[in-house]
């Protein structure tokens, strides 16, 4: 009993040290998500928003509304009493608002242009592949048509067969006329029976 307990006691530290080792991450399981300090956002959604803003900024409606707001801003700060004015003559607040708008509009427009460039690049790549397939199909059809033309050049046509038949008829007529000149008429050909055949028939 004592030797067995000692063996068990000796094994426990080895097992304890093995269980105390840090386990390596398993490759068959995804890593747990890490916490990030910065806020996360969807790049695709942000890109769509930038395209909408850039599309609205590039319209005449935005220019008209911005012009109306600026005119009303200037008239309000010039014509109303000083107690109601919120931006005096140099219009520093208006300048700050316009510069802030421009500082946000420029990156949004650039982002929308980059997304449009990416789409154009993908479309150009698809068009290039489609053109390559069309060229390959056209070359294949051209080779097939050339092979058919070569094959049709070797096929006997109706006119060629007719001319060959006419030549053969003329040749046969010429042979027939020459045979008549020699013998006068075609002799009746009798089948010669081998000797001794009549006796066998009877």
């Amino acid at each position: 009993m004592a030797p067995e307990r000692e063996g068990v006691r000796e094994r426990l530290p080895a097992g304890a040290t093995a269980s105390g080792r840090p386990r390596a991450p398993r490759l068959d399981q995804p890593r747990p998500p890490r916490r990030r300090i910065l806020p996360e956002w969807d790049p695709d959604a942000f890109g769509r928003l930038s395209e909408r803003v850039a599309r609205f900024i590039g319209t005449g409606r935005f220019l008209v509304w911005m012009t109306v707001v600026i005119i009303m801003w200037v008239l309000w700060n010039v014509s109303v009493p000083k107690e109601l004015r919120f931006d005096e003559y140099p219009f520093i607040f208006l300048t700050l608002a316009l510069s802030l708008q421009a500082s946000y509009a420029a990156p949004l427009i650039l982002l929308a242009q980059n997304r449009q460039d990416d789409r154009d690049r993908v479309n150009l790549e698809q068009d290039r592949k489609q053109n390559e397939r069309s060229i390959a199909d056209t070359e294949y059809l051209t080779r097939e048509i050339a092979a058919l033309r070569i094959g049709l050049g070797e096929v006997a046509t109706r006119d060629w067969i007719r001319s060959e038949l006419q030549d053969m008829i003329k040749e046969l007529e010429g042979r027939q006329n020459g045979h008549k000149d020699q013998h006068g008429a075609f002799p009746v050909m009798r089948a010669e029976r081998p000797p001794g055949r009549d006796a066998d028939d009877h």
Side-chain angles (χ1 to χ4, degrees):
M1 296 296 293
E4 292 179 358
R5 290 179 180 177
E6 291 178 359
V8 173
R9 289 177 183 176
E10 290 177 357
R11 292 175 187 172
L12 288 177
T17 54
S19 62
R21 293 178 184 175
R23 294 183 179 180
R26 297 186 61 177
L27 298 178
D28 59 342
Q29 295 180 356
R31 292 183 177 178
R34 297 180 180 178
R35 295 181 180 178
R36 295 183 180 180
I37 301 174
L38 298 176
E40 296 181 3
W41 63 86
D42 187 6
D44 196 14
F46 192 73
R48 288 195 298 269
L49 177 62
S50 66
E51 287 180 349
R52 291 178 183 175
V53 172
R55 194 176 293 114
F56 176 70
I57 290 175
T59 58
R61 183 184 301 174
F62 172 76
L63 294 175
V64 170
W65 279 108
M66 189 174 67
T67 304
V68 169
V69 169
I70 291 174
I71 290 173
M72 291 179 61
W73 187 297
V74 172
L75 290 177
W76 179 272
N77 290 296
V78 170
S79 60
V80 299
K82 290 186 177 181
E83 293 80 9
L84 299 176
R85 296 178 187 177
F86 58 90
D87 194 11
E88 291 295 333
Y89 164 67
F91 306 118
I92 298 173
F93 188 47
L94 177 61
T95 306
L96 179 62
L98 293 177
S99 62
L100 186 64
Q101 174 196 346
S103 64
Y104 273 97
L108 290 174
I109 293 172
L110 290 175
L111 181 59
Q113 288 180 353
N114 291 335
R115 285 173 58 86
Q116 185 64 37
D117 291 340
D118 294 339
R119 282 196 296 269
D120 293 340
R121 191 179 300 107
V122 171
N123 292 332
L124 288 174
E125 184 67 21
Q126 292 178 352
D127 293 340
R128 186 181 64 81
K129 291 181 179 179
Q130 183 66 31
N131 291 334
E132 289 178 356
R133 287 194 294 268
S134 300
I135 291 172
D137 293 341
T138 305
E139 290 178 353
Y140 173 75
L141 292 175
T142 304
R143 289 193 298 270
E144 290 295 321
I145 292 172
L148 287 175
R149 286 181 177 177
I150 293 172
L152 287 175
E154 298 176 355
V155 173
T157 59
R158 184 175 59 184
D159 296 335
W160 183 81
I161 294 173
R162 184 177 297 170
S163 64
E164 289 293 324
L165 288 175
Q166 289 176 357
D167 294 340
M168 290 177 67
I169 291 171
K170 289 180 181 178
E171 184 178 354
L172 289 174
E173 288 177 353
R175 289 182 181 179
Q176 185 178 2
N177 292 334
H179 195 66
K180 283 182 179 180
D181 293 340
Q182 291 178 2
H183 300 284
F186 288 107
V188 178
M189 301 298 292
R190 293 182 179 179
E192 297 181 357
R193 296 181 178 179
R197 187 65 181 269
D198 294 336
D200 296 335
D201 293 337
H202 293 295

